[in-house]
Amino acid sequence: MLAPLTTTECKEKVRYRIAWLTGSVLALSACAAGPNYHAPQSTALGVPAGYSQGSGAALDDATLATWWTRLNDPTLTGLIDQAIAGNLDIVQAQARLRQARESLRQANAAFLPQVNGSASGGKNYRSQAGGTRVDDSGNVISTGASNWSSSYSAGANASWQIDLFGELSRSAEAARADLAASGYDLANVRMTIISELVTNYVQARASQEQLRIARETQKVQQDNYDIARWRLQAGLVSSLDEQQARAQLAQTNATIPQLEASLKGSLNRIAVLTGQAPGDATRALETPAPIPTAATDIATGIPADTLRQRPDVRSAERALAAATARIGVAQAQLYPSLGISGNIGTTSNAFKDLFDLITGGVFANVAQTIFDGGRLASQVRAQKAATDAAFAAYQQSVLGALEDVENGMASLDSARRRKIEFATAYEASNNAAILARSQYQSGLIDFQTLSSSETTLLNARNSLASAQSDEILAIAQLYNALGGGWQNMDDRPHEQ
């Protein structure tokens, strides 16, 4: 006869069985269904070794993070700080990031047992009419009296889904990728808002510069009109000169309201980008200030650096990872599922005796779909198709990023070359206009010649101002294409 086990031996035996069961479950769950994700290499995406132009100098994360400070404009820097703190598009993206974080917590919670508890208590009333009733032997069956009785119950149910074929682990993997993608989406929104704010700020300063040029031209053309009228009254010229001078002045006057409306539109947009209502929020910006300037050197790095810095590209890559993980989720549903459940409960007519008798049970459940008309297999194929689409979207984002950088470098080079030529044109046309005014006042040339020189000067001044603003806009475009502006985020995404 075998000797009975001691309490210690019983505990050891239970621990052994639990360890064996846990080890078996973990070994099975390690065989997760579906493909393991590996990020595509640059060569598979068709990424070139370098850009067609640019220095190729390595990107500097610190410079990218606060590239707008290189424009040497404290007012602009302050506006960007306001936008980062109060822009409502950024607030929405932050909320979506929090949602993704909670989705990951929910996916991780599926690995743990789910426990529910319940309890109830109450009194029952029973009333029976009539006198005392006895059976054939004379025993009292009921007295016909009314009475109250109590009842109490408590119970708990637990269930645990074993991750045999990786359905839960693949779901958590997809949720982690979604969380990282949401973080990169937030970074992309922030980057876009900064670029748009810089664009509108530069456009506002350019409008102010063009307004200054228009008003200075207006004064000169008013003087020309006065001279033409005086010469007409003196009989030195015909009314043709006067009417031409009048028409030229009116045309310049007509450009001022348009420039003022453009300025107002830029200021209103700046207010909204900083999370404020248009109007008083940008009142201080109505005071004219110069168009910002910037250093000429911009490191562009190599295409692989750009893909690392561009949050939209990294978001697309994380979306591909999530889609790949969901293939495993779909495939795991083709295989058997194992669940463990248990319950424990007690009931009594007296609360003090509630836990005198406790009942319970533990159950294991294995389920396997036998026939579903091909629904689960179709879900696997559908998810594979979704993964193919995600890969194409990732490739598209890569090509788009490379295109943005190439376009940004081309725009910056064009703006700088045009600025040099327009500076020369402005100097020459200004000298010509000074000579023409002097000669017209002396009667040596007609008004048509003066008008032509004045128009050339006005166009040269406006073109130079436009080239100066285009240079800064091209710098903003290039830094945005390189992925600058999000490297110092508090919620900077981390891939797990």
Side-chain angles (χ1 to χ4, degrees), residues 169-183:
S169 58
R170 291 300 191 194
S171 295
E173 181 183 345
R176 284 193 297 272
D178 286 338
L179 174 59
S182 294

Side-chain angles (χ1 to χ4, degrees), residues 183-452:
Y184 289 125
D185 289 341
L186 169 59
N188 190 54
V189 170
R190 169 175 163 150
M191 187 181 74
T192 303
I193 293 301
I194 291 172
S195 178
E196 187 178 358
L197 181 57
V198 172
T199 297
N200 281 273
Y201 181 82
V202 172
Q203 289 174 343
R205 295 311 188 195
S207 295
Q208 289 175 338
E209 176 64 14
Q210 289 177 329
L211 274 170
R212 183 182 69 83
I213 293 171
R215 286 166 179 153
E216 289 179 357
T217 303
Q218 187 182 46
K219 292 178 181 178
V220 171
Q221 291 177 349
Q222 181 66 52
D223 289 342
N224 292 340
Y225 179 48
D226 292 340
I227 292 172
R229 285 192 301 173
W230 174 81
R231 296 188 69 187
L232 174 63
Q233 292 172 357
L236 300 176
V237 295
S238 68
S239 60
L240 177 62
D241 283 9
E242 180 200 23
Q243 293 302 312
Q244 287 178 331
R246 180 186 175 193
Q248 187 182 54
L249 176 59
Q251 288 175 346
T252 300
N253 291 342
T255 64
I256 292 178
Q258 183 179 8
L259 292 172
E260 290 174 337
S262 177
L263 172 61
K264 192 64 177 177
S266 297
L267 296 180
N268 290 340
R269 187 60 190 154
I270 289 172
V272 174
L273 288 171
T274 55
Q276 304 174 82
D280 292 338
T282 54
R283 196 73 66 195
L285 297 179
E286 293 179 0
T287 302
I291 299 172
T293 57
T296 57
D297 57 319
I298 297 179
T300 56
I302 60 176
D305 293 334
T306 302
L307 303 188
R308 175 177 57 85
Q309 293 292 347
R310 282 280 293 248
D312 56 335
V313 173
R314 299 183 71 171
S315 175
E317 186 272 332
R318 288 289 84 200
L320 173 60
T324 304
R326 290 191 173 97
I327 295 177
V329 175
Q331 284 187 348
Q333 294 176 2
L334 295 171
Y335 306 131
S337 62
L338 172 62
I340 299 176
S341 62
N343 63 74
I344 186 171
T346 181
T347 181
S348 175
N349 293 330
F351 185 76
K352 63 184 180 62
D353 301 327
L354 182 60
F355 297 102
D356 287 350
L357 179 62
I358 299 176
T359 60
V362 177
F363 309 92
N365 173 266
V366 178
Q368 169 66 60
T369 300
I370 298 176
F371 178 76
D372 65 353
R375 179 179 60 86
L376 294 179
S378 176
Q379 289 178 354
V380 174
R381 293 193 296 272
Q383 189 54 50
K384 287 181 178 179
T387 303
D388 292 340
F391 180 66
Y394 179 39
Q395 288 181 302
Q396 183 67 29
S397 68
V398 169
L399 296 179
L402 300 179
E403 179 188 17
D404 290 343
V405 176
E406 293 283 3
N407 290 341
M409 289 188 292
S411 297
L412 180 57
D413 179 67
S414 171
R416 284 174 172 168
R417 285 190 291 156
R418 286 188 293 112
K419 187 176 73 169
I420 293 173
E421 297 301 328
F422 282 132
T424 302
Y426 167 64
E427 180 182 6
S429 59
N430 187 52
N431 293 335
I434 292 173
L435 292 173
R437 289 189 206 107
S438 175
Q439 291 176 354
Y440 179 72
Q441 291 173 357
S442 302
L444 299 177
I445 60 173
D446 59 11
F447 187 82
Q448 183 62 39
T449 303
L450 173 62
S451 175
S452 177

Side-chain angles (χ1 to χ4, degrees), residues 104-133:
L104 176 58
R105 290 194 177 102
Q106 294 166 26
N108 287 334
F111 288 97
L112 303 176
Q114 306 297 306
V115 181
N116 299 310
S118 63
S120 65
K123 286 184 174 294
N124 300 315
Y125 175 75
R126 180 180 180 184
S127 176
Q128 184 172 343
T132 301
R133 298 172 57 197

